Amino acid sequence: MAHEPARAMAGQARQRFQESEEDRITRSAGHFSEFEADMPKLANRFQFSFKDNLSSYLGRNNPFYSEANDDTDYVWLLDNTAYQNRLGRWKAEFVAAYFVRHSGKDLSEVVAWVSEKIGLADDEEAKKTIALRLEPFLDAILPAHAVNINLQGMKVRLGPSGRDGISIDELAIPGSNYKDGETVTSRAIGATATPLKTTFAKNKGWAVLSDIDDTIKKTLTSSPVGILKTTFAEDPEPINGMPELYKHIVQKLDNPPFWYLSASPYNLYPFLHQFRETYYPAGTMLLRDASWMNLAGFLANLTQGTEAYKLDRIEKVHEWFPKRKFILIGDSTQSDPEAYGEVYKKFPKWIGAIYIRKVTGVAEMDEGKKNSPERFEKAFKHVPKELWYVFQNPNELYAKVDALPPSIKPVPPATMRNTTMMEEHPYKDPDPVPIYILFTFAVLFCAYFAWLSSVAVRLYFYKGALAPEPEKFVILPAYLRDRSPQRGHQRRVTAFPMPAPPRSLARDLAHISRVTCMNIAVVDTEQLPDPEIRAFLAEQQRISRLPAFVQDDCGDGSDFPGIPFAITPVEAKQQTLTPPGLNRRPSAKYTSVGLKKVGLKEWLTIDKRYKDIHTARDYLLTKKNAECIQIKHDGENACEELLQEIVKLLVAKYPESFSIKTVNRRKHIHIPDVLPLTSSVDLLTRSTLYIQTYPDARPLAHLFFIQEPKDFFPGNLSSLLPQHIIVRREHQTFRRLPKSGAIIYSTRTEVNRLTELDVHGRRKLVEEIRSWNREVATRKGLELWQRAVIGYCEGKKAFRDDDTVIDGGE
């Protein structure tokens, strides 16, 4: 048996969550839960290929979809109603359902079960009717499939379908000269499908939204046996007087568009469509999804979460026709009064009338509660009394409908003389501007202002550097003046400090006076005989090629009189390491940051996990070398010294495991067989505790290599189970190298699963966690995992729901 898909389970959970008080009354009175527990499974509906299953998550953008096969598949195209958007273009929602023909494997068993439950086990004619109507419930659905239709002379693709085998596309309809109430038919191309009728409705006027079950069709939705009998065995029966009432509404309100809203699943579309065609005006059917794997889902669709479902679909209709006045018609068996009351609260100007049929004579229904005046008063407490009415006989509504204002105001007598001219020359709405023209203008408009903005930004930052490049001059120092090939030309006076004085300071200061400047744009440095001048000018030419905001352009100095200059560097080069020999005063406050002194032998240790950890280090150095090792230009000496110190310690501390050898004359650091340790060296160390999750089977290197705080918690909240939680303890050591003075910070990490700790270890863990201050607890994510970790350590049972882990102690 196939497992129920996640979408089906989510839909069932959503229906139970959305179950209203009226739904609970209906299901309790009819004993629906006990009846549904015995209903047959429909697992074969979800037997589709792996490709279709996986690619269906991509929705309409799925590039791996398949076309519906005319030989093996069939498609239902649901009738729809077209509306006009703000640009005057006609659009409509196209819904298609895809099935595999005759793929239901358990049809005979399900037919026998239904026949027995409704008391028709010996009626062969009734069994044929039941089998015909049950077949769409058992045929396999087709996700990731599409169908092409001929939409007003254009080939248009619908789909691909989603995981429920349904595609929903909101498409523009070619053409613009459609009349209000006009209907066109579209057909599939190369596939077996029902014809699709599209009704065009203008933005203003009256409209009707009607429930189906027990409003216009006898369904007995308060009885599970009654639902099965009227749906699968009997011919559909209209409510007495309702077809005539709907015809009167069509005549009185000038053929308004109709929507038929039902909680029935879309598998009943052909059955309900034929019933509507026989008795009621044309309109769009809004049916419910059927992502369930047992026949009990059919009853749950009709009786669970109906109020929330109808609210959602009515809000969708409001998006299409916000300016029409709607008449809402329902019944008292389900949550129609409550749903319509909520709709009026959201869209009070949108509702023109609400009519509720009072249903009686259903044995399993608690009529006292369902038809009580208190229920209706509560449901419609925000609705004006004159807008809603509860009726039992449809004849009561004729006067109510006649009292509704017409959708089009009558023409005043003074303008009647213009009526003939209007009939001869009817006004035609101008064709809306094509959307691609508006889009082109919008793109050009944005591009123009983007260009203007870029020019303004460049002018601001370059500060005039966009003008023609001026001649660039360099001022020669005094000691190069006499050797200049252009001596005497373009002489300027400036105070210029000599960058590299070759003589004494007194002589150099005496030569700061009239110095030569020369145009470097016309000087060929290769032809200059003096190598010093050639090198100087080459450097100045390099600087002149830099952008204007990088150069240090001091001009001719006339704008900067009396500027002081320095003959030595103002700032000395900062050294990152303290040179050997300088006195260093150790801080006496190292204990304030949790440090303590230990011997040198505690620096590097080897235990039984050394091999695994060494393998993890080798993986990190191979795969993530650039992220693990970063050396600054002034740290190479410290790295070499660190290597020597590590080799010295390991050879002396573990002579049975480490030694120095020379192989194939390769250059190695020569280290004696015995290297005494410097016992006078003290280390500063501290221990830090972290909690992290490790729900998968990634290598040990991934467990150690943590770059960001979020990497401590891979997976999701459901990963906070005790067996997935790691207690990570890092022993951090600080040591100063004797030669370079560099500070070496090393970490030895121990990891244990929370479930591996003994009772004493768990008690110590809880004590340490509770000793953290608020800042440390926030930094280590205490609020995320404290309930799971502390609850487990204190012996509380933890259980997992869909989203989180909760301990039983709270």
Side-chain angles (χ1 to χ4, degrees), residues 136-163:
F137 288 85
L138 276 75
D139 282 347
I141 62 176
L142 282 174
H145 276 64
V147 64
N148 294 313
I149 65 171
N150 183 350
L151 183 60
Q152 295 298 93
M154 294 186 63
K155 182 179 179 181
V156 178
R157 188 194 80 196
L158 302 184
S161 54
R163 291 186 52 76

PDB file of all heavy atoms in Angstrom, residues 136-163:
ATOM      1  N   PRO A 136     -14.245   8.347 -11.257  1.00  0.00           N
ATOM      2  CA  PRO A 136     -13.291   9.465 -11.115  1.00  0.00           C
ATOM      3  C   PRO A 136     -12.609   9.521  -9.746  1.00  0.00           C
ATOM      4  O   PRO A 136     -11.563  10.143  -9.609  1.00  0.00           O
ATOM      5  CB  PRO A 136     -14.170  10.704 -11.341  1.00  0.00           C
ATOM      6  CG  PRO A 136     -15.352  10.208 -12.105  1.00  0.00           C
ATOM      7  CD  PRO A 136     -15.593   8.826 -11.611  1.00  0.00           C
ATOM      8  N   PHE A 137     -13.224   8.878  -8.733  1.00  0.00           N
ATOM      9  CA  PHE A 137     -12.593   8.864  -7.412  1.00  0.00           C
ATOM     10  C   PHE A 137     -11.453   7.843  -7.339  1.00  0.00           C
ATOM     11  O   PHE A 137     -10.584   7.958  -6.478  1.00  0.00           O
ATOM     12  CB  PHE A 137     -13.626   8.539  -6.331  1.00  0.00           C
ATOM     13  CG  PHE A 137     -14.594   9.647  -6.057  1.00  0.00           C
ATOM     14  CD1 PHE A 137     -15.737   9.813  -6.816  1.00  0.00           C
ATOM     15  CD2 PHE A 137     -14.357  10.548  -5.026  1.00  0.00           C
ATOM     16  CE1 PHE A 137     -16.634  10.834  -6.564  1.00  0.00           C
ATOM     17  CE2 PHE A 137     -15.243  11.579  -4.772  1.00  0.00           C
ATOM     18  CZ  PHE A 137     -16.390  11.733  -5.541  1.00  0.00           C
ATOM     19  N   LEU A 138     -11.477   6.833  -8.219  1.00  0.00           N
ATOM     20  CA  LEU A 138     -10.480   5.770  -8.151  1.00  0.00           C
ATOM     21  C   LEU A 138      -9.437   5.872  -9.251  1.00  0.00           C
ATOM     22  O   LEU A 138      -8.342   5.314  -9.119  1.00  0.00           O
ATOM     23  CB  LEU A 138     -11.160   4.393  -8.237  1.00  0.00           C
ATOM     24  CG  LEU A 138     -11.708   3.844  -6.910  1.00  0.00           C
ATOM     25  CD1 LEU A 138     -12.988   4.565  -6.520  1.00  0.00           C
ATOM     26  CD2 LEU A 138     -11.974   2.347  -6.989  1.00  0.00           C
ATOM     27  N   ASP A 139      -9.726   6.586 -10.351  1.00  0.00           N
ATOM     28  CA  ASP A 139      -8.734   6.722 -11.420  1.00  0.00           C
ATOM     29  C   ASP A 139      -7.526   7.510 -10.927  1.00  0.00           C
ATOM     30  O   ASP A 139      -7.646   8.463 -10.161  1.00  0.00           O
ATOM     31  CB  ASP A 139      -9.356   7.421 -12.629  1.00  0.00           C
ATOM     32  CG  ASP A 139     -10.226   6.481 -13.443  1.00  0.00           C
ATOM     33  OD1 ASP A 139     -10.147   5.262 -13.219  1.00  0.00           O
ATOM     34  OD2 ASP A 139     -10.995   6.975 -14.288  1.00  0.00           O
ATOM     35  N   ALA A 140      -6.354   7.095 -11.398  1.00  0.00           N
ATOM     36  CA  ALA A 140      -5.103   7.746 -10.978  1.00  0.00           C
ATOM     37  C   ALA A 140      -5.053   9.164 -11.518  1.00  0.00           C
ATOM     38  O   ALA A 140      -5.444   9.441 -12.660  1.00  0.00           O
ATOM     39  CB  ALA A 140      -3.906   6.946 -11.466  1.00  0.00           C
ATOM     40  N   ILE A 141      -4.560  10.089 -10.695  1.00  0.00           N
ATOM     41  CA  ILE A 141      -4.392  11.473 -11.130  1.00  0.00           C
ATOM     42  C   ILE A 141      -3.059  11.624 -11.855  1.00  0.00           C
ATOM     43  O   ILE A 141      -2.184  10.758 -11.770  1.00  0.00           O
ATOM     44  CB  ILE A 141      -4.470  12.431  -9.932  1.00  0.00           C
ATOM     45  CG1 ILE A 141      -3.328  12.143  -8.943  1.00  0.00           C
ATOM     46  CG2 ILE A 141      -5.808  12.339  -9.252  1.00  0.00           C
ATOM     47  CD1 ILE A 141      -3.282  13.118  -7.786  1.00  0.00           C
ATOM     48  N   LEU A 142      -2.902  12.734 -12.574  1.00  0.00           N
ATOM     49  CA  LEU A 142      -1.703  12.954 -13.398  1.00  0.00           C
ATOM     50  C   LEU A 142      -1.060  14.288 -13.033  1.00  0.00           C
ATOM     51  O   LEU A 142      -1.424  15.339 -13.569  1.00  0.00           O
ATOM     52  CB  LEU A 142      -2.080  12.960 -14.888  1.00  0.00           C
ATOM     53  CG  LEU A 142      -2.320  11.604 -15.541  1.00  0.00           C
ATOM     54  CD1 LEU A 142      -2.830  11.796 -16.958  1.00  0.00           C
ATOM     55  CD2 LEU A 142      -1.044  10.778 -15.552  1.00  0.00           C
ATOM     56  N   PRO A 143      -0.092  14.281 -12.135  1.00  0.00           N
ATOM     57  CA  PRO A 143       0.672  15.523 -11.912  1.00  0.00           C
ATOM     58  C   PRO A 143       1.660  15.753 -13.047  1.00  0.00           C
ATOM     59  O   PRO A 143       1.982  14.836 -13.817  1.00  0.00           O
ATOM     60  CB  PRO A 143       1.402  15.252 -10.588  1.00  0.00           C
ATOM     61  CG  PRO A 143       1.519  13.773 -10.530  1.00  0.00           C
ATOM     62  CD  PRO A 143       0.312  13.204 -11.229  1.00  0.00           C
ATOM     63  N   ALA A 144       2.157  16.978 -13.174  1.00  0.00           N
ATOM     64  CA  ALA A 144       3.161  17.354 -14.176  1.00  0.00           C
ATOM     65  C   ALA A 144       2.682  17.053 -15.594  1.00  0.00           C
ATOM     66  O   ALA A 144       3.455  16.609 -16.438  1.00  0.00           O
ATOM     67  CB  ALA A 144       4.490  16.659 -13.912  1.00  0.00           C
ATOM     68  N   HIS A 145       1.396  17.306 -15.878  1.00  0.00           N
ATOM     69  CA  HIS A 145       0.845  17.125 -17.219  1.00  0.00           C
ATOM     70  C   HIS A 145       0.176  18.428 -17.662  1.00  0.00           C
ATOM     71  O   HIS A 145      -0.253  19.236 -16.840  1.00  0.00           O
ATOM     72  CB  HIS A 145      -0.152  15.973 -17.261  1.00  0.00           C
ATOM     73  CG  HIS A 145       0.505  14.635 -17.437  1.00  0.00           C
ATOM     74  ND1 HIS A 145       1.355  14.090 -16.496  1.00  0.00           N
ATOM     75  CD2 HIS A 145       0.459  13.727 -18.453  1.00  0.00           C
ATOM     76  CE1 HIS A 145       1.784  12.914 -16.918  1.00  0.00           C
ATOM     77  NE2 HIS A 145       1.255  12.674 -18.100  1.00  0.00           N
ATOM     78  N   ALA A 146       0.082  18.581 -18.982  1.00  0.00           N
ATOM     79  CA  ALA A 146      -0.489  19.798 -19.558  1.00  0.00           C
ATOM     80  C   ALA A 146      -1.361  19.423 -20.739  1.00  0.00           C
ATOM     81  O   ALA A 146      -1.289  18.308 -21.272  1.00  0.00           O
ATOM     82  CB  ALA A 146       0.609  20.773 -19.978  1.00  0.00           C
ATOM     83  N   VAL A 147      -2.194  20.367 -21.168  1.00  0.00           N
ATOM     84  CA  VAL A 147      -3.053  20.177 -22.323  1.00  0.00           C
ATOM     85  C   VAL A 147      -3.133  21.503 -23.070  1.00  0.00           C
ATOM     86  O   VAL A 147      -3.108  22.580 -22.460  1.00  0.00           O
ATOM     87  CB  VAL A 147      -4.462  19.706 -21.883  1.00  0.00           C
ATOM     88  CG1 VAL A 147      -5.166  20.766 -21.055  1.00  0.00           C
ATOM     89  CG2 VAL A 147      -5.311  19.319 -23.087  1.00  0.00           C
ATOM     90  N   ASN A 148      -3.194  21.427 -24.392  1.00  0.00           N
ATOM     91  CA  ASN A 148      -3.336  22.608 -25.237  1.00  0.00           C
ATOM     92  C   ASN A 148      -4.791  22.777 -25.639  1.00  0.00           C
ATOM     93  O   ASN A 148      -5.486  21.798 -25.944  1.00  0.00           O
ATOM     94  CB  ASN A 148      -2.467  22.475 -26.486  1.00  0.00           C
ATOM     95  CG  ASN A 148      -0.991  22.481 -26.158  1.00  0.00           C
ATOM     96  OD1 ASN A 148      -0.522  23.327 -25.399  1.00  0.00           O
ATOM     97  ND2 ASN A 148      -0.242  21.544 -26.720  1.00  0.00           N
ATOM     98  N   ILE A 149      -5.267  24.034 -25.639  1.00  0.00           N
ATOM     99  CA  ILE A 149      -6.640  24.315 -26.045  1.00  0.00           C
ATOM    100  C   ILE A 149      -6.631  25.378 -27.135  1.00  0.00           C
ATOM    101  O   ILE A 149      -5.668  26.139 -27.280  1.00  0.00           O
ATOM    102  CB  ILE A 149      -7.508  24.784 -24.859  1.00  0.00           C
ATOM    103  CG1 ILE A 149      -6.992  26.131 -24.319  1.00  0.00           C
ATOM    104  CG2 ILE A 149      -7.543  23.742 -23.758  1.00  0.00           C
ATOM    105  CD1 ILE A 149      -7.921  26.758 -23.294  1.00  0.00           C
ATOM    106  N   ASN A 150      -7.716  25.405 -27.884  1.00  0.00           N
ATOM    107  CA  ASN A 150      -7.908  26.431 -28.911  1.00  0.00           C
ATOM    108  C   ASN A 150      -8.731  27.545 -28.282  1.00  0.00           C
ATOM    109  O   ASN A 150      -9.938  27.443 -28.126  1.00  0.00           O
ATOM    110  CB  ASN A 150      -8.627  25.830 -30.115  1.00  0.00           C
ATOM    111  CG  ASN A 150      -8.779  26.829 -31.250  1.00  0.00           C
ATOM    112  OD1 ASN A 150      -8.512  28.021 -31.089  1.00  0.00           O
ATOM    113  ND2 ASN A 150      -9.220  26.359 -32.404  1.00  0.00           N
ATOM    114  N   LEU A 151      -8.057  28.635 -27.914  1.00  0.00           N
ATOM    115  CA  LEU A 151      -8.707  29.758 -27.233  1.00  0.00           C
ATOM    116  C   LEU A 151      -8.862  30.896 -28.219  1.00  0.00           C
ATOM    117  O   LEU A 151      -7.922  31.640 -28.490  1.00  0.00           O
ATOM    118  CB  LEU A 151      -7.879  30.173 -26.019  1.00  0.00           C
ATOM    119  CG  LEU A 151      -8.468  31.294 -25.145  1.00  0.00           C
ATOM    120  CD1 LEU A 151      -9.820  30.875 -24.580  1.00  0.00           C
ATOM    121  CD2 LEU A 151      -7.513  31.646 -24.021  1.00  0.00           C
ATOM    122  N   GLN A 152     -10.033  30.990 -28.801  1.00  0.00           N
ATOM    123  CA  GLN A 152     -10.347  32.053 -29.752  1.00  0.00           C
ATOM    124  C   GLN A 152      -9.321  32.124 -30.881  1.00  0.00           C
ATOM    125  O   GLN A 152      -8.811  33.186 -31.233  1.00  0.00           O
ATOM    126  CB  GLN A 152     -10.449  33.398 -29.032  1.00  0.00           C
ATOM    127  CG  GLN A 152     -11.601  33.490 -28.039  1.00  0.00           C
ATOM    128  CD  GLN A 152     -12.946  33.330 -28.712  1.00  0.00           C
ATOM    129  OE1 GLN A 152     -13.487  32.211 -28.783  1.00  0.00           O
ATOM    130  NE2 GLN A 152     -13.490  34.413 -29.234  1.00  0.00           N
ATOM    131  N   GLY A 153      -8.998  30.947 -31.436  1.00  0.00           N
ATOM    132  CA  GLY A 153      -8.087  30.886 -32.571  1.00  0.00           C
ATOM    133  C   GLY A 153      -6.610  30.816 -32.207  1.00  0.00           C
ATOM    134  O   GLY A 153      -5.772  30.721 -33.097  1.00  0.00           O
ATOM    135  N   MET A 154      -6.285  30.839 -30.938  1.00  0.00           N
ATOM    136  CA  MET A 154      -4.890  30.755 -30.500  1.00  0.00           C
ATOM    137  C   MET A 154      -4.679  29.473 -29.713  1.00  0.00           C
ATOM    138  O   MET A 154      -5.544  29.048 -28.936  1.00  0.00           O
ATOM    139  CB  MET A 154      -4.514  31.957 -29.621  1.00  0.00           C
ATOM    140  CG  MET A 154      -4.512  33.284 -30.352  1.00  0.00           C
ATOM    141  SD  MET A 154      -3.906  34.626 -29.298  1.00  0.00           S
ATOM    142  CE  MET A 154      -2.225  34.077 -28.993  1.00  0.00           C
ATOM    143  N   LYS A 155      -3.511  28.864 -29.931  1.00  0.00           N
ATOM    144  CA  LYS A 155      -3.141  27.660 -29.196  1.00  0.00           C
ATOM    145  C   LYS A 155      -2.541  28.068 -27.861  1.00  0.00           C
ATOM    146  O   LYS A 155      -1.518  28.735 -27.797  1.00  0.00           O
ATOM    147  CB  LYS A 155      -2.146  26.827 -30.006  1.00  0.00           C
ATOM    148  CG  LYS A 155      -1.749  25.521 -29.343  1.00  0.00           C
ATOM    149  CD  LYS A 155      -0.780  24.744 -30.221  1.00  0.00           C
ATOM    150  CE  LYS A 155      -0.362  23.437 -29.564  1.00  0.00           C
ATOM    151  NZ  LYS A 155       0.608  22.684 -30.406  1.00  0.00           N
ATOM    152  N   VAL A 156      -3.186  27.658 -26.775  1.00  0.00           N
ATOM    153  CA  VAL A 156      -2.784  28.057 -25.430  1.00  0.00           C
ATOM    154  C   VAL A 156      -2.583  26.807 -24.593  1.00  0.00           C
ATOM    155  O   VAL A 156      -3.396  25.867 -24.652  1.00  0.00           O
ATOM    156  CB  VAL A 156      -3.837  28.976 -24.782  1.00  0.00           C
ATOM    157  CG1 VAL A 156      -3.434  29.341 -23.364  1.00  0.00           C
ATOM    158  CG2 VAL A 156      -4.031  30.235 -25.620  1.00  0.00           C
ATOM    159  N   ARG A 157      -1.529  26.807 -23.812  1.00  0.00           N
ATOM    160  CA  ARG A 157      -1.241  25.657 -22.946  1.00  0.00           C
ATOM    161  C   ARG A 157      -1.816  25.883 -21.553  1.00  0.00           C
ATOM    162  O   ARG A 157      -1.654  26.951 -20.966  1.00  0.00           O
ATOM    163  CB  ARG A 157       0.270  25.456 -22.823  1.00  0.00           C
ATOM    164  CG  ARG A 157       0.674  24.167 -22.103  1.00  0.00           C
ATOM    165  CD  ARG A 157       2.128  24.185 -21.717  1.00  0.00           C
ATOM    166  NE  ARG A 157       2.335  24.961 -20.517  1.00  0.00           N
ATOM    167  CZ  ARG A 157       3.510  25.401 -20.101  1.00  0.00           C
ATOM    168  NH1 ARG A 157       4.577  25.191 -20.830  1.00  0.00           N
ATOM    169  NH2 ARG A 157       3.625  26.093 -18.978  1.00  0.00           N
ATOM    170  N   LEU A 158      -2.498  24.882 -21.033  1.00  0.00           N
ATOM    171  CA  LEU A 158      -2.943  24.876 -19.643  1.00  0.00           C
ATOM    172  C   LEU A 158      -2.059  23.912 -18.871  1.00  0.00           C
ATOM    173  O   LEU A 158      -1.840  22.787 -19.284  1.00  0.00           O
ATOM    174  CB  LEU A 158      -4.409  24.435 -19.537  1.00  0.00           C
ATOM    175  CG  LEU A 158      -5.444  25.260 -20.305  1.00  0.00           C
ATOM    176  CD1 LEU A 158      -6.837  24.746 -20.011  1.00  0.00           C
ATOM    177  CD2 LEU A 158      -5.339  26.739 -19.968  1.00  0.00           C
ATOM    178  N   GLY A 159      -1.588  24.339 -17.711  1.00  0.00           N
ATOM    179  CA  GLY A 159      -0.727  23.478 -16.913  1.00  0.00           C
ATOM    180  C   GLY A 159       0.716  23.905 -17.020  1.00  0.00           C
ATOM    181  O   GLY A 159       1.035  24.987 -17.522  1.00  0.00           O
ATOM    182  N   PRO A 160       1.620  23.051 -16.508  1.00  0.00           N
ATOM    183  CA  PRO A 160       1.416  21.680 -16.017  1.00  0.00           C
ATOM    184  C   PRO A 160       0.675  21.646 -14.676  1.00  0.00           C
ATOM    185  O   PRO A 160       0.651  22.615 -13.935  1.00  0.00           O
ATOM    186  CB  PRO A 160       2.845  21.151 -15.857  1.00  0.00           C
ATOM    187  CG  PRO A 160       3.714  22.098 -16.610  1.00  0.00           C
ATOM    188  CD  PRO A 160       3.045  23.421 -16.564  1.00  0.00           C
ATOM    189  N   SER A 161       0.124  20.462 -14.400  1.00  0.00           N
ATOM    190  CA  SER A 161      -0.639  20.256 -13.176  1.00  0.00           C
ATOM    191  C   SER A 161       0.287  20.102 -11.983  1.00  0.00           C
ATOM    192  O   SER A 161       1.461  19.764 -12.109  1.00  0.00           O
ATOM    193  CB  SER A 161      -1.524  19.014 -13.321  1.00  0.00           C
ATOM    194  OG  SER A 161      -0.752  17.880 -13.706  1.00  0.00           O
ATOM    195  N   GLY A 162      -0.274  20.350 -10.811  1.00  0.00           N
ATOM    196  CA  GLY A 162       0.473  20.187  -9.571  1.00  0.00           C
ATOM    197  C   GLY A 162       0.370  18.769  -9.052  1.00  0.00           C
ATOM    198  O   GLY A 162      -0.040  17.839  -9.749  1.00  0.00           O
ATOM    199  N   ARG A 163       0.712  18.579  -7.778  1.00  0.00           N
ATOM    200  CA  ARG A 163       0.737  17.235  -7.203  1.00  0.00           C
ATOM    201  C   ARG A 163      -0.657  16.648  -7.035  1.00  0.00           C
ATOM    202  O   ARG A 163      -0.798  15.435  -6.851  1.00  0.00           O
ATOM    203  CB  ARG A 163       1.454  17.261  -5.859  1.00  0.00           C
ATOM    204  CG  ARG A 163       2.937  17.535  -5.984  1.00  0.00           C
ATOM    205  CD  ARG A 163       3.635  17.411  -4.651  1.00  0.00           C
ATOM    206  NE  ARG A 163       3.375  16.163  -3.973  1.00  0.00           N
ATOM    207  CZ  ARG A 163       3.923  15.003  -4.300  1.00  0.00           C
ATOM    208  NH1 ARG A 163       4.770  14.938  -5.308  1.00  0.00           N
ATOM    209  NH2 ARG A 163       3.641  13.905  -3.629  1.00  0.00           N
TER     210      ARG A 163
END
